[in-house]
Short mmCIF file of all heavy atoms in Angstrom, two decimals:
data_model
loop_
_atom_site.label_atom_id
_atom_site.label_comp_id
_atom_site.label_asym_id
_atom_site.label_seq_id
_atom_site.Cartn_x
_atom_site.Cartn_y
_atom_site.Cartn_z
N VAL A 30 -6.24 6.62 19.14
CA VAL A 30 -5.05 6.17 19.85
C VAL A 30 -4.09 7.30 20.19
O VAL A 30 -3.16 7.11 20.96
CB VAL A 30 -4.31 5.07 19.06
CG1 VAL A 30 -5.16 3.81 19.00
CG2 VAL A 30 -3.92 5.53 17.67
N GLU A 31 -4.33 8.50 19.61
CA GLU A 31 -3.47 9.63 19.95
C GLU A 31 -4.25 10.92 19.80
O GLU A 31 -4.82 11.18 18.75
CB GLU A 31 -2.25 9.66 19.02
CG GLU A 31 -1.26 10.75 19.36
CD GLU A 31 -0.06 10.74 18.41
OE1 GLU A 31 0.27 9.68 17.86
OE2 GLU A 31 0.53 11.81 18.25
N VAL A 32 -4.30 11.71 20.87
CA VAL A 32 -4.86 13.06 20.85
C VAL A 32 -4.47 13.71 22.18
O VAL A 32 -4.46 13.05 23.21
CB VAL A 32 -6.40 13.05 20.65
CG1 VAL A 32 -7.13 12.42 21.82
CG2 VAL A 32 -6.91 14.46 20.38
N ASP A 33 -4.14 14.98 22.14
CA ASP A 33 -3.86 15.72 23.38
C ASP A 33 -5.20 16.20 23.92
O ASP A 33 -5.79 17.15 23.40
CB ASP A 33 -2.93 16.89 23.09
CG ASP A 33 -2.58 17.69 24.35
OD1 ASP A 33 -3.24 17.51 25.40
OD2 ASP A 33 -1.64 18.50 24.27
N GLU A 34 -5.70 15.53 24.96
CA GLU A 34 -7.03 15.85 25.48
C GLU A 34 -7.09 17.21 26.18
O GLU A 34 -8.17 17.69 26.47
CB GLU A 34 -7.52 14.72 26.39
CG GLU A 34 -7.78 13.45 25.61
CD GLU A 34 -9.15 12.86 25.85
OE1 GLU A 34 -9.91 13.36 26.69
OE2 GLU A 34 -9.46 11.88 25.16
N ALA A 35 -5.95 17.82 26.44
CA ALA A 35 -5.97 19.18 26.96
C ALA A 35 -6.37 20.17 25.85
O ALA A 35 -6.93 21.22 26.12
CB ALA A 35 -4.60 19.55 27.53
N VAL A 36 -6.10 19.82 24.59
CA VAL A 36 -6.42 20.66 23.44
C VAL A 36 -7.76 20.25 22.83
O VAL A 36 -8.63 21.09 22.59
CB VAL A 36 -5.29 20.59 22.38
CG1 VAL A 36 -5.66 21.39 21.13
CG2 VAL A 36 -3.97 21.08 22.97
N LEU A 37 -7.93 18.96 22.58
CA LEU A 37 -9.17 18.41 22.01
C LEU A 37 -9.71 17.35 22.96
O LEU A 37 -9.12 16.30 23.10
CB LEU A 37 -8.89 17.73 20.67
CG LEU A 37 -8.89 18.53 19.40
CD1 LEU A 37 -8.72 17.61 18.20
CD2 LEU A 37 -10.10 19.40 19.24
N ARG A 38 -10.81 17.66 23.61
CA ARG A 38 -11.41 16.72 24.57
C ARG A 38 -12.53 15.94 23.88
O ARG A 38 -13.44 16.52 23.29
CB ARG A 38 -11.96 17.48 25.77
CG ARG A 38 -12.52 16.60 26.86
CD ARG A 38 -12.90 17.40 28.10
NE ARG A 38 -13.43 18.72 27.84
CZ ARG A 38 -14.71 19.00 27.58
NH1 ARG A 38 -15.61 18.04 27.53
NH2 ARG A 38 -15.10 20.23 27.38
N ARG A 39 -12.46 14.63 23.97
CA ARG A 39 -13.49 13.79 23.36
C ARG A 39 -14.81 13.98 24.09
O ARG A 39 -14.85 13.99 25.32
CB ARG A 39 -13.04 12.33 23.41
CG ARG A 39 -13.92 11.43 22.59
CD ARG A 39 -13.25 10.11 22.36
NE ARG A 39 -14.18 9.20 21.73
CZ ARG A 39 -13.85 8.03 21.26
NH1 ARG A 39 -12.61 7.62 21.36
NH2 ARG A 39 -14.74 7.26 20.70
N LYS A 40 -15.90 14.08 23.33
CA LYS A 40 -17.21 14.37 23.92
C LYS A 40 -18.05 13.14 24.20
O LYS A 40 -19.12 13.25 24.77
CB LYS A 40 -17.98 15.32 22.99
CG LYS A 40 -17.37 16.70 22.93
CD LYS A 40 -18.11 17.60 21.99
CE LYS A 40 -19.46 17.99 22.54
NZ LYS A 40 -20.16 18.96 21.70
N GLY A 41 -17.58 11.96 23.79
CA GLY A 41 -18.37 10.76 24.05
C GLY A 41 -17.96 9.65 23.11
O GLY A 41 -16.99 9.78 22.37
N PRO A 42 -18.72 8.56 23.12
CA PRO A 42 -18.38 7.42 22.26
C PRO A 42 -18.66 7.72 20.78
O PRO A 42 -19.39 8.66 20.45
CB PRO A 42 -19.30 6.31 22.77
CG PRO A 42 -20.45 7.02 23.36
CD PRO A 42 -19.91 8.31 23.92
N ALA A 43 -18.09 6.90 19.93
CA ALA A 43 -18.37 7.00 18.50
C ALA A 43 -19.85 6.73 18.25
O ALA A 43 -20.44 5.84 18.88
CB ALA A 43 -17.51 6.01 17.72
N GLU A 44 -20.45 7.50 17.35
CA GLU A 44 -21.87 7.33 17.04
C GLU A 44 -22.00 6.84 15.60
O GLU A 44 -21.49 7.48 14.68
CB GLU A 44 -22.61 8.66 17.17
CG GLU A 44 -22.65 9.19 18.58
CD GLU A 44 -23.38 10.52 18.67
OE1 GLU A 44 -23.90 11.02 17.65
OE2 GLU A 44 -23.43 11.07 19.78
N ALA A 45 -22.68 5.71 15.42
CA ALA A 45 -22.93 5.20 14.08
C ALA A 45 -23.85 6.17 13.34
O ALA A 45 -24.80 6.69 13.92
CB ALA A 45 -23.56 3.82 14.14
N GLN A 46 -23.56 6.42 12.08
CA GLN A 46 -24.39 7.30 11.27
C GLN A 46 -25.57 6.50 10.71
O GLN A 46 -25.48 5.29 10.53
CB GLN A 46 -23.55 7.93 10.16
CG GLN A 46 -22.47 8.85 10.71
CD GLN A 46 -23.05 9.90 11.64
OE1 GLN A 46 -23.72 10.83 11.21
NE2 GLN A 46 -22.83 9.73 12.93
N PRO A 47 -26.69 7.19 10.42
CA PRO A 47 -27.91 6.49 10.00
C PRO A 47 -27.72 5.58 8.79
O PRO A 47 -28.39 4.55 8.70
CB PRO A 47 -28.88 7.63 9.69
CG PRO A 47 -28.39 8.78 10.51
CD PRO A 47 -26.90 8.63 10.58
N ASP A 48 -26.83 5.93 7.87
CA ASP A 48 -26.66 5.10 6.67
C ASP A 48 -25.82 3.85 6.94
O ASP A 48 -25.68 2.98 6.09
CB ASP A 48 -26.07 5.90 5.52
CG ASP A 48 -24.65 6.40 5.79
OD1 ASP A 48 -24.05 6.03 6.83
OD2 ASP A 48 -24.15 7.16 4.96
N GLY A 49 -25.22 3.76 8.15
CA GLY A 49 -24.44 2.60 8.53
C GLY A 49 -23.07 2.51 7.88
O GLY A 49 -22.36 1.53 8.04
N ARG A 50 -22.66 3.55 7.15
CA ARG A 50 -21.38 3.50 6.45
C ARG A 50 -20.29 4.33 7.10
O ARG A 50 -19.18 4.41 6.58
CB ARG A 50 -21.57 3.94 5.00
CG ARG A 50 -22.43 2.94 4.23
CD ARG A 50 -22.45 3.24 2.78
NE ARG A 50 -23.13 4.51 2.53
CZ ARG A 50 -23.40 4.98 1.33
NH1 ARG A 50 -23.04 4.31 0.27
NH2 ARG A 50 -24.04 6.11 1.19
N ALA A 51 -20.60 4.94 8.26
CA ALA A 51 -19.61 5.78 8.93
C ALA A 51 -19.93 5.87 10.42
O ALA A 51 -21.06 5.61 10.84
CB ALA A 51 -19.59 7.18 8.32
N VAL A 52 -18.91 6.22 11.19
CA VAL A 52 -19.09 6.58 12.59
C VAL A 52 -18.58 8.01 12.76
O VAL A 52 -17.69 8.45 12.02
CB VAL A 52 -18.36 5.64 13.58
CG1 VAL A 52 -18.93 4.25 13.52
CG2 VAL A 52 -16.87 5.64 13.35
N ARG A 53 -19.14 8.71 13.71
CA ARG A 53 -18.74 10.09 13.98
C ARG A 53 -18.27 10.16 15.42
O ARG A 53 -18.95 9.68 16.32
CB ARG A 53 -19.91 11.02 13.75
CG ARG A 53 -19.54 12.48 13.88
CD ARG A 53 -20.70 13.37 13.54
NE ARG A 53 -20.89 13.36 12.09
CZ ARG A 53 -21.94 13.86 11.49
NH1 ARG A 53 -22.93 14.36 12.19
NH2 ARG A 53 -22.04 13.83 10.18
N ILE A 54 -17.10 10.78 15.61
CA ILE A 54 -16.55 10.99 16.94
C ILE A 54 -16.39 12.50 17.12
O ILE A 54 -15.77 13.17 16.31
CB ILE A 54 -15.18 10.29 17.11
CG1 ILE A 54 -15.31 8.80 16.79
CG2 ILE A 54 -14.64 10.50 18.52
CD1 ILE A 54 -13.99 8.06 16.68
N ALA A 55 -17.00 13.03 18.19
CA ALA A 55 -16.99 14.47 18.42
C ALA A 55 -15.95 14.84 19.48
O ALA A 55 -15.78 14.12 20.47
CB ALA A 55 -18.38 14.93 18.87
N PHE A 56 -15.30 15.97 19.25
CA PHE A 56 -14.33 16.53 20.18
C PHE A 56 -14.67 17.98 20.44
O PHE A 56 -15.27 18.65 19.59
CB PHE A 56 -12.91 16.48 19.59
CG PHE A 56 -12.39 15.09 19.35
CD1 PHE A 56 -12.66 14.42 18.17
CD2 PHE A 56 -11.62 14.45 20.31
CE1 PHE A 56 -12.19 13.15 17.94
CE2 PHE A 56 -11.14 13.17 20.10
CZ PHE A 56 -11.42 12.52 18.91
N HIS A 57 -14.29 18.48 21.61
CA HIS A 57 -14.46 19.89 21.98
C HIS A 57 -13.08 20.53 22.00
O HIS A 57 -12.18 20.03 22.67
CB HIS A 57 -15.12 20.00 23.36
CG HIS A 57 -15.23 21.40 23.84
ND1 HIS A 57 -16.18 22.27 23.37
CD2 HIS A 57 -14.50 22.09 24.75
CE1 HIS A 57 -16.03 23.44 23.99
NE2 HIS A 57 -15.02 23.35 24.81
N ALA A 58 -12.92 21.63 21.25
CA ALA A 58 -11.65 22.36 21.25
C ALA A 58 -11.57 23.15 22.56
O ALA A 58 -12.23 24.17 22.73
CB ALA A 58 -11.57 23.28 20.04
N SER A 59 -10.75 22.66 23.50
CA SER A 59 -10.74 23.17 24.86
C SER A 59 -9.82 24.36 25.09
O SER A 59 -10.11 25.24 25.90
CB SER A 59 -10.32 22.07 25.83
OG SER A 59 -11.20 20.99 25.75
N ARG A 60 -8.66 24.36 24.42
CA ARG A 60 -7.71 25.45 24.64
C ARG A 60 -6.80 25.55 23.43
O ARG A 60 -6.68 24.59 22.65
CB ARG A 60 -6.91 25.24 25.91
CG ARG A 60 -5.97 24.08 25.82
CD ARG A 60 -5.06 24.01 27.02
NE ARG A 60 -4.06 22.97 26.73
CZ ARG A 60 -2.86 22.96 27.22
NH1 ARG A 60 -2.47 23.88 28.05
NH2 ARG A 60 -2.01 22.01 26.89
N PRO A 61 -6.11 26.68 23.26
CA PRO A 61 -5.20 26.82 22.12
C PRO A 61 -4.07 25.79 22.20
O PRO A 61 -3.58 25.46 23.28
CB PRO A 61 -4.63 28.24 22.27
CG PRO A 61 -5.64 28.96 23.11
CD PRO A 61 -6.20 27.92 24.04
N GLY A 62 -3.68 25.29 21.04
CA GLY A 62 -2.59 24.34 20.96
C GLY A 62 -2.65 23.53 19.68
O GLY A 62 -3.51 23.75 18.83
N VAL A 63 -1.74 22.59 19.58
CA VAL A 63 -1.65 21.72 18.41
C VAL A 63 -1.65 20.28 18.89
O VAL A 63 -0.98 19.96 19.88
CB VAL A 63 -0.35 21.98 17.62
CG1 VAL A 63 -0.27 21.08 16.40
CG2 VAL A 63 -0.23 23.44 17.23
N THR A 64 -2.39 19.43 18.21
CA THR A 64 -2.39 18.01 18.55
C THR A 64 -2.50 17.17 17.29
O THR A 64 -3.18 17.55 16.34
CB THR A 64 -3.53 17.63 19.53
OG1 THR A 64 -3.40 16.26 19.87
CG2 THR A 64 -4.89 17.89 18.96
N ASP A 65 -1.80 16.07 17.29
CA ASP A 65 -2.05 15.05 16.28
C ASP A 65 -3.30 14.30 16.71
O ASP A 65 -3.52 14.09 17.91
CB ASP A 65 -0.88 14.08 16.17
CG ASP A 65 0.33 14.71 15.50
OD1 ASP A 65 0.15 15.58 14.64
OD2 ASP A 65 1.46 14.33 15.85
N LEU A 66 -4.10 13.91 15.75
CA LEU A 66 -5.29 13.12 16.01
C LEU A 66 -5.14 11.85 15.17
O LEU A 66 -5.12 11.92 13.94
CB LEU A 66 -6.55 13.89 15.63
CG LEU A 66 -7.90 13.20 15.78
CD1 LEU A 66 -8.09 12.66 17.19
CD2 LEU A 66 -9.02 14.16 15.43
N VAL A 67 -4.97 10.73 15.86
CA VAL A 67 -4.71 9.46 15.18
C VAL A 67 -5.73 8.42 15.64
O VAL A 67 -5.98 8.28 16.84
CB VAL A 67 -3.28 8.94 15.47
CG1 VAL A 67 -3.01 7.64 14.72
CG2 VAL A 67 -2.23 9.99 15.12
N ALA A 68 -6.32 7.74 14.67
CA ALA A 68 -7.26 6.66 14.96
C ALA A 68 -6.92 5.50 14.04
O ALA A 68 -6.40 5.69 12.94
CB ALA A 68 -8.69 7.11 14.73
N PHE A 69 -7.20 4.29 14.51
CA PHE A 69 -7.06 3.14 13.62
C PHE A 69 -8.25 2.21 13.78
O PHE A 69 -8.92 2.21 14.79
CB PHE A 69 -5.72 2.41 13.77
CG PHE A 69 -5.51 1.68 15.08
CD1 PHE A 69 -6.16 0.49 15.36
CD2 PHE A 69 -4.62 2.18 16.01
CE1 PHE A 69 -5.95 -0.18 16.55
CE2 PHE A 69 -4.40 1.52 17.21
CZ PHE A 69 -5.06 0.33 17.47
N ARG A 70 -8.49 1.46 12.70
CA ARG A 70 -9.59 0.50 12.69
C ARG A 70 -9.00 -0.90 12.83
O ARG A 70 -8.10 -1.28 12.10
CB ARG A 70 -10.38 0.60 11.39
CG ARG A 70 -11.65 -0.24 11.42
CD ARG A 70 -12.50 0.00 10.22
NE ARG A 70 -11.83 -0.51 9.03
CZ ARG A 70 -12.14 -0.12 7.80
NH1 ARG A 70 -13.07 0.78 7.60
NH2 ARG A 70 -11.50 -0.63 6.77
N ALA A 71 -9.50 -1.63 13.84
CA ALA A 71 -9.03 -2.98 14.11
C ALA A 71 -10.12 -3.74 14.86
O ALA A 71 -11.09 -3.14 15.33
CB ALA A 71 -7.74 -2.94 14.93
N THR A 72 -9.92 -5.04 15.01
CA THR A 72 -10.89 -5.85 15.75
C THR A 72 -10.75 -5.67 17.26
O THR A 72 -11.67 -5.96 18.01
CB THR A 72 -10.76 -7.33 15.37
OG1 THR A 72 -9.41 -7.73 15.59
CG2 THR A 72 -11.16 -7.57 13.93
N ALA A 73 -9.58 -5.18 17.71
CA ALA A 73 -9.34 -4.88 19.13
C ALA A 73 -8.23 -3.83 19.20
O ALA A 73 -7.44 -3.69 18.27
CB ALA A 73 -8.93 -6.14 19.88
N ARG A 74 -8.18 -3.12 20.32
CA ARG A 74 -7.17 -2.05 20.46
C ARG A 74 -5.74 -2.58 20.30
O ARG A 74 -4.87 -1.88 19.80
CB ARG A 74 -7.33 -1.38 21.83
CG ARG A 74 -6.41 -0.18 22.01
CD ARG A 74 -6.67 0.54 23.31
NE ARG A 74 -7.85 1.37 23.28
CZ ARG A 74 -7.90 2.60 22.77
NH1 ARG A 74 -6.84 3.13 22.24
NH2 ARG A 74 -9.02 3.28 22.79
N ASP A 75 -5.51 -3.84 20.70
CA ASP A 75 -4.16 -4.39 20.60
C ASP A 75 -3.96 -5.26 19.35
O ASP A 75 -2.93 -5.91 19.20
CB ASP A 75 -3.81 -5.20 21.85
CG ASP A 75 -4.78 -6.34 22.12
OD1 ASP A 75 -5.79 -6.45 21.39
OD2 ASP A 75 -4.53 -7.11 23.05
N ALA A 76 -4.93 -5.26 18.44
CA ALA A 76 -4.82 -6.02 17.19
C ALA A 76 -4.13 -5.16 16.12
O ALA A 76 -4.13 -3.93 16.22
CB ALA A 76 -6.20 -6.44 16.70
N PRO A 77 -3.56 -5.78 15.11
CA PRO A 77 -2.94 -5.00 14.02
C PRO A 77 -4.00 -4.14 13.32
O PRO A 77 -5.10 -4.63 13.03
CB PRO A 77 -2.40 -6.06 13.07
CG PRO A 77 -2.37 -7.33 13.83
CD PRO A 77 -3.41 -7.22 14.90
N PRO A 78 -3.70 -2.87 13.06
CA PRO A 78 -4.68 -2.00 12.41
C PRO A 78 -4.94 -2.41 10.96
O PRO A 78 -4.02 -2.78 10.24
CB PRO A 78 -4.05 -0.62 12.47
CG PRO A 78 -2.69 -0.77 13.01
CD PRO A 78 -2.48 -2.18 13.43
N GLU A 79 -6.22 -2.33 10.57
CA GLU A 79 -6.61 -2.56 9.18
C GLU A 79 -6.49 -1.26 8.38
O GLU A 79 -6.26 -1.29 7.19
CB GLU A 79 -8.06 -3.05 9.11
CG GLU A 79 -8.28 -4.40 9.74
CD GLU A 79 -9.74 -4.81 9.72
OE1 GLU A 79 -10.59 -4.09 9.12
OE2 GLU A 79 -10.06 -5.85 10.30
N ARG A 80 -6.71 -0.15 9.07
CA ARG A 80 -6.68 1.16 8.42
C ARG A 80 -6.33 2.20 9.48
O ARG A 80 -6.72 2.07 10.63
CB ARG A 80 -8.06 1.45 7.83
CG ARG A 80 -8.10 2.65 6.95
CD ARG A 80 -9.36 2.65 6.14
NE ARG A 80 -9.38 3.84 5.31
CZ ARG A 80 -10.40 4.21 4.60
NH1 ARG A 80 -11.50 3.51 4.60
NH2 ARG A 80 -10.35 5.30 3.87
N THR A 81 -5.61 3.25 9.07
CA THR A 81 -5.20 4.30 10.00
C THR A 81 -5.63 5.67 9.45
O THR A 81 -5.55 5.91 8.26
CB THR A 81 -3.67 4.29 10.21
OG1 THR A 81 -3.30 3.01 10.70
CG2 THR A 81 -3.23 5.35 11.20
#
Side-chain angles (χ1 to χ4, degrees):
V30 293
E31 184 180 334
V32 65
D33 181 346
E34 293 232 355
V36 176
L37 274 186
R38 184 173 35 86
R39 190 165 172 172
K40 292 178 71 175
E44 295 180 2
Q46 295 307 287
D48 65 6
R50 294 189 293 186
V52 295
R53 185 176 286 168
I54 304 170
F56 296 87
H57 176 76
S59 301
R60 68 172 189 152
V63 180
T64 183
D65 287 329
L66 178 54
V67 182
F69 68 74
R70 188 173 67 200
T72 55
R74 185 175 283 277
D75 58 355
E79 295 176 6
R80 189 165 179 187
T81 302

